Amino acid sequence: MRIDKLHTIDSTNSYLKRISKEEDAQEDIVVWALEQTAGRGQMGTTWSAESGKNLTFSVFRKVKRITISEQFYALMAASLAIKDVLSKLLIKNVRVKWPNDILTDNDKICGILIESVIKRGKLDAMILGVGLNVNQTEWKDTPRATSIKARTGIHFDLEEILSMLLTQFHHYVDLLIKGEFETIKRDYEAHLFKKDKPATFIASDGTQFVGIIKGVSETGKLILLQEDEVVNEYDLKEIQLLY
């Protein structure tokens, strides 16, 4: 696997999209930046992190055995890989906040962004972006943020944690290649934040409602049990979990 380490870049995902297209990349590429000036999150949100204190990186990988309809399994697998590593680092109560945030208790410690590369109507490659709070301990505009150091009191080597993450990613890639989709989905649902508990959501039209998270669909929609025992599925654009 090729690893490009950069000091400053706009966004590792954007950079990787550019160079993979320019080079017609066929191999796995990791781009790790010590600082992002325009880090991106899901749905156009931004990811802000202090320079040199956190892990901000993206992975480009060709996809051969996953279809467009199955791409959410890659996000589930990435979430589980990060959860596994955080658990090894003694971070407690790690949960996945649907669809792409990793929490410890109620605080966000990591965000994931997966973008698909489509060619001739088929899924050709995926770019996985990760923003993991490692050694930063203060945030100005993110009250529910935390980090590995904030939780453990230990200052970690960024390269060591990156190596652990890549190793765990490989493990889950092997499961994807073997078609172990149900195993991945079951483990992802087992670690869903607020699963089987009443939670408040806000719909795209601004209305609020209460639902109980029961799981996710194969395409990544959130399955909610609502009033009168009605079960509905929601896309990311349709609802937001309030917590």
Side-chain angles (χ1 to χ4, degrees):
M1 178 180 288
R2 165 182 156 191
I3 300 179
D4 293 350
K5 184 178 179 180
L6 307 173
H7 185 274
T8 305
I9 194 63
D10 54 351
S11 156
T12 55
N13 261 40
S14 298
Y15 177 82
L16 199 42
K17 286 174 72 174
R18 292 195 297 268
I19 66 168
S20 62
K21 185 176 181 180
E22 291 169 1
E23 300 176 5
D24 189 24
Q26 300 298 315
E27 64 174 334
D28 293 352
I29 305 173
V30 178
V31 173
W32 170 25
L34 294 178
E35 180 179 10
Q36 288 188 123
T37 58
R40 296 188 289 120
Q42 195 75 263
M43 298 290 291
T45 59
T46 59
W47 178 267
S48 180
E50 286 187 32
S51 175
K53 291 188 176 181
N54 306 294
L55 268 178
T56 48
F57 68 96
S58 296
V59 180
F60 172 90
R61 184 177 179 88
K62 278 285 190 178
V63 177
K64 296 181 180 180
R65 301 192 181 185
I66 301 176
T67 65
I68 293 176
S69 64
E70 295 169 338
Q71 58 188 318
F72 190 74
Y73 285 99
L75 179 58
M76 289 192 278
S79 301
L80 291 171
I82 294 166
K83 183 270 300 179
D84 289 350
V85 170
L86 289 174
S87 297
K88 290 178 182 178
L89 296 172
L90 304 182
I91 303 300
K92 298 179 180 179
N93 302 320
V94 180
R95 293 291 182 266
V96 181
K97 177 178 170 287
W98 176 85
N100 66 324
D101 287 339
I102 309 298
L103 309 182
T104 168
D105 294 322
N106 288 338
D107 296 328
K108 182 174 177 177
I109 196 169
C110 183
I112 307 170
L113 175 64
I114 284 191
E115 297 182 278
S116 302
V117 179
I118 309 295
K119 287 187 178 179
R120 293 181 290 277
K122 294 183 178 181
L123 187 60
D124 181 70
M126 302 195 80
I127 297 175
L128 165 68
V130 176
L132 174 62
N133 295 331
V134 181
N135 294 317
Q136 184 173 339
T137 55
E138 295 181 0
W139 293 265
K140 293 181 180 179
D141 303 315
T142 314
R144 282 186 171 166
T146 191
S147 69
I148 299 174
K149 183 175 181 177
R151 289 296 169 130
T152 65
I154 302 171
H155 188 93
F156 283 87
D157 180 82
L158 297 180
E159 192 164 355
E160 181 180 347
I161 294 181
L162 176 61
S163 178
M164 292 175 66
L165 287 169
L166 295 178
T167 297
Q168 205 64 17
F169 286 156
H170 282 306
H171 166 70
Y172 281 99
V173 167
D174 287 342
L175 292 182
L176 287 170
I177 291 173
K178 293 176 182 177
E180 298 285 343
F181 294 148
E182 285 305 311
T183 298
I184 291 171
K185 184 172 180 290
R186 183 177 63 248
D187 289 349
Y188 177 87
E189 290 179 327
H191 291 89
L192 269 177
F193 179 65
K194 294 286 188 180
K195 187 173 186 293
D196 295 325
K197 298 178 181 178
T200 302
F201 298 84
I202 182 167
S204 56
D205 63 3
T207 60
Q208 293 188 16
F209 65 92
V210 174
I212 298 175
I213 296 175
K214 303 307 294 183
V216 293
S217 71
E218 293 181 355
T219 56
K221 290 185 177 182
L222 191 66
I223 301 172
L224 294 183
L225 176 65
Q226 294 178 242
E227 287 184 285
D228 300 322
E229 299 297 309
V230 174
V231 176
N232 291 310
E233 296 183 3
Y234 293 93
D235 188 80
L236 175 62
K237 298 177 183 179
E238 297 176 317
I239 60 168
Q240 179 183 355
L241 170 63
L242 301 179
Y243 72 106

